[in-house]
Amino acid sequence: MSRSLLRRLTPLIRVHAERNQRILTSAAEELSPDVHAAVYMTDNCVRRLKELNAKEESFEGKMLRLSVETGGCSGFQYAFLLDEKKNEDDRIFAKDGVMLVVDSISYDFVKGATVDYVDELIRSAFQVTTNPSAVGGCSCKASFMVK
């Protein structure tokens, strides 16, 4: 690799490393004594949900629903939906006035996971950034394999 390319890439790598460190630190600070009992939302996730709720009346009061479906390149895939209804078997996780809803079947696959909102050049989306139940997955973080 040429030195000029290396000099240009170093600041970008540093920014990504610092961002990842902030995400990991904030997730660690939010952990309860029973680490695997909850599904966590990062500050970016909470901020984006608040923006969506404030931006359009049709989004007002909606919760972020996380579910796990079969498929994807690794066997299972995450699905996100803005939803207004709660089912009897849903688990609800709240932070700063916004709610994340997970059905009971999906919950077994995402206990202890962290949901983030990622704004990248190629896409902007909610995504599961860490999942203790997953052993691997694809690079787009949309699918995973179960332990």
Side-chain angles (χ1 to χ4, degrees), residues 5-140:
L5 178 60
L6 203 54
R7 274 190 226 122
R8 288 185 300 204
L9 289 177
T10 301
L12 293 172
I13 293 168
R14 184 176 296 125
V15 166
H16 285 288
E18 290 171 357
R19 186 176 133 244
N20 289 341
Q21 181 63 34
R22 282 194 310 270
I23 290 169
L24 291 173
T25 303
S26 68
E29 291 170 357
E30 295 172 6
L31 295 178
S32 65
D34 184 4
V35 173
H36 299 290
V39 179
Y40 304 96
M41 292 180 279
T42 64
D43 292 338
N44 282 341
C45 178
V46 170
R47 183 176 59 251
R48 182 62 179 149
L49 284 169
K50 285 182 176 184
E51 287 171 0
L52 289 172
N53 282 328
K55 191 181 281 187
E56 293 188 37
E57 286 183 30
S58 62
F59 289 140
E60 192 174 336
K62 289 197 176 181
M63 305 164 286
L64 181 63
R65 180 173 291 278
L66 167 60
S67 58
V68 174
E69 301 172 347
T70 57
C73 23
S74 299
F76 293 95
Q77 62 187 0
Y78 302 109
F80 291 96
L81 172 73
L82 288 174
D83 200 357
E84 57 201 16
K85 66 178 184 169
K86 298 177 202 172
N87 300 320
E88 282 185 29
D89 66 337
D90 284 342
R91 298 208 183 213
I92 300 169
F93 306 96
K95 181 176 177 182
D96 293 336
V98 297
M99 291 188 279
L100 173 70
V101 180
V102 182
D103 64 87
S104 62
I105 294 171
S106 298
Y107 175 72
D108 290 333
F109 293 98
V110 295
K111 289 180 200 171
T114 301
V115 176
D116 193 9
Y117 180 77
V118 180
D119 193 6
E120 299 171 335
L121 287 175
I122 58 171
R123 71 178 178 155
S124 299
F126 291 102
Q127 107 186 165
V128 175
T129 55
T130 58
N131 183 354
S133 299
V135 291
C138 64
S139 61
C140 68

